[in-house]
Amino acid sequence: MSKTVLQRHLFGPGPCNPYPEATAALGLPLLGHLDPEFIARMDRVGEGLRTLWGTKNVRTLPLSATGSAGMEAAFVNTINPGDVAVIAINGLFGERMCEVASRVGAEVVRVEHDYGTPIDAQRVADAHPNPAVIAGVHAETSTGVVSDIAALGAIKGDALLFTDAVTSIGGMPVLADEWGIDVGYAGTQKCIGVAPGLAPFTISDRAFERRVQKPQSWYLDLGLLGGYATGATGGGRTYHHTAPVAMVASLEAGIDRILAEGLEAVTARHQEAGSLLQQGLQEMGLELFAQEGSRLPQLTTVYVPEAVDSAKVRGYLLERFNIEIGGGVGQYASTVWRIGMMGPNANPGSVALLLAALKEAIAKA
């Protein structure tokens, strides 16, 4: 172990710095994964996640893996070979949905959008008359764009609606029941303000009834994992795997921190930080990437100025100020920066620090 413990300002696309309460909870004495106290903790976490998801779904739980496993669980549990999946693509994570859907045998109908623009629900509706699944990303981490998921819910018909809420949950309203989300997945490392390692997941009764009875993934089989959500209230807990008990304790503390502040207050704090950052970047003469009117407050994308080396600026920020920001993805890897103000970092002080450091880095890198 290094003698020097680095304290970074994680202002990239994720992970962000965790809430102090979430970090402190990692040091609590471990409980066994079948301990009655841990079962009670899982129940509390499930209830807290239902609040964050805006749902009453009984099967709302933290999967023991990162958000990408949440995406895989969504598709592997609900799609049979030959099912039509209409997938809206306006960034990297829509592309990944297509990749996972194709691997479970779906007939994928791609609805392409320009990167930096939100999903057009009417184009999605027109893509196929009777799909089994419609899928889209709420907050596209690769582009900094927010899309109207309620509009997709309004046109889904008999299809199941899948939603990636990795960068939105815990930082802006997510209303799964109201919007018509049937399967939603997220991660802990963004606005929830917890270290990466768990995937907050929710599935409606409607989607669960249609599930694949024996999915190709044993580990992510929601039928086997059901005891996470219902075992305690049913009088017993289904053993499936050894849960990451310390991470669950940390997630409980992170959720408690958010709910103590209040979801409206947390949303307002993220909105203020994002607005201050975007205003400050524009005052520096920089151009924002995402379409105006659809910009995420918690994740801002900005063009790298001409004749500026993106990697050198990011390196200068890291070495000089211990600040991490992200590059772009794909064709925008060296022409866009991604700057996150999420979780405890969503505050005016973080914005001021980032803007001052970035101005110096552009000048000197």
Side-chain angles (χ1 to χ4, degrees):
M1 179 177 176
S2 171
K3 294 180 180 179
T4 301
V5 177
L6 291 174
Q7 177 65 43
R8 303 289 200 193
H9 301 284
L10 299 178
F11 298 159
C16 71
N17 296 100
Y19 285 111
E21 295 88 343
T23 299
L26 290 171
L28 293 174
L30 287 183
L31 297 174
H33 65 284
L34 298 178
D35 187 303
E37 290 299 324
F38 178 70
I39 293 171
R41 173 169 286 156
M42 283 290 289
D43 286 345
R44 293 193 298 271
V45 167
E47 189 60 35
L49 289 178
R50 277 186 278 276
T51 300
L52 297 188
W53 274 110
T55 186
K56 295 181 180 178
N57 291 341
V58 172
R59 297 172 186 87
T60 302
L61 66 155
L63 297 182
S64 301
T66 62
S68 293
M71 172 175 58
E72 192 141 346
F75 286 93
V76 78
N77 279 281
T78 55
I79 290 185
N80 290 288
D83 284 350
V84 174
V86 173
I87 300 177
I89 304 163
N90 65 337
L92 173 66
F93 294 95
E95 292 280 3
R96 288 190 179 177
M97 284 181 166
C98 293
E99 174 67 18
V100 174
S102 68
R103 291 188 181 211
V104 295
E107 178 187 334
V108 177
V109 177
R110 298 167 60 95
V111 185
E112 307 273 3
H113 297 71
D114 291 337
Y115 278 29
T117 64
I119 294 169
D120 183 332
Q122 189 57 52
R123 290 184 55 217
V124 174
D126 293 342
H128 193 278
N130 188 33
V133 164
I134 290 173
V137 178
H138 183 211
E140 179 52 79
T141 316
S142 66
T143 63
V145 166
V146 61
S147 292
D148 184 355
I149 298 301
L152 292 180
I155 58 90
K156 72 176 184 178
D158 192 49
L160 298 176
L161 176 60
F162 291 4
T163 300
D164 173 331
V166 171
T167 302
S168 52
I169 194 168
M172 65 194 311
V174 178
L175 303 173
D177 290 354
E178 182 178 324
W179 295 349
I181 296 172
D182 291 289
V183 182
Y185 58 87
T188 49
Q189 73 275 17
K190 308 288 182 91
C191 298
I192 292 179
V194 175
L198 294 172
F201 189 90
T202 190
I203 182 169
S204 68
D205 289 344
R206 174 173 176 261
F208 190 75
E209 289 167 4
R210 297 191 194 182
R211 75 187 186 280
V212 177
Q213 292 302 308
K214 193 172 183 179
Q216 59 183 261
S217 173
W218 175 88
Y219 185 69
L220 297 175
D221 183 339
L222 292 174
L224 298 178
L225 288 168
Y228 265 71
T230 61
T233 55
R237 181 181 175 82
T238 303
Y239 170 69
H240 180 259
H241 67 282
T242 301
V245 292
M247 278 299 303
V248 174
S250 184
L251 177 57
E252 180 185 30
I255 292 172
D256 287 349
R257 167 66 176 77
I258 290 170
L259 297 184
E261 183 177 352
L263 285 176
E264 288 188 9
V266 171
T267 295
R269 177 163 56 79
H270 281 81
Q271 183 63 56
E272 179 190 24
S275 296
L276 288 172
L277 174 63
Q278 291 166 14
Q279 179 183 344
L281 292 169
Q282 290 175 305
E283 289 174 352
M284 289 171 57
L286 302 180
E287 181 184 356
L288 302 183
F289 177 78
Q291 179 177 301
E292 187 174 1
S294 298
R295 293 169 181 156
L296 285 170
Q298 60 268 45
L299 194 285
T300 296
T301 47
V302 58
Y303 282 106
V304 178
E306 288 188 20
V308 170
D309 187 315
S310 171
K312 285 185 178 180
V313 168
R314 291 169 56 212
Y316 186 94
L317 288 171
L318 201 63
E319 294 170 15
R320 174 69 170 167
F321 298 108
N322 275 318
I323 289 175
E324 176 186 275
I325 66 171
V329 298
Q331 63 179 308
Y332 300 104
S334 61
T335 58
V336 167
W337 289 315
R338 292 182 295 158
I339 304 172
M341 291 292 159
M342 296 182 280
N345 295 341
N347 65 76
S350 293
V351 174
L353 172 62
L354 183 280
L355 290 172
L358 182 60
K359 186 175 182 179
E360 179 178 319
I362 292 172
K364 294 188 176 182

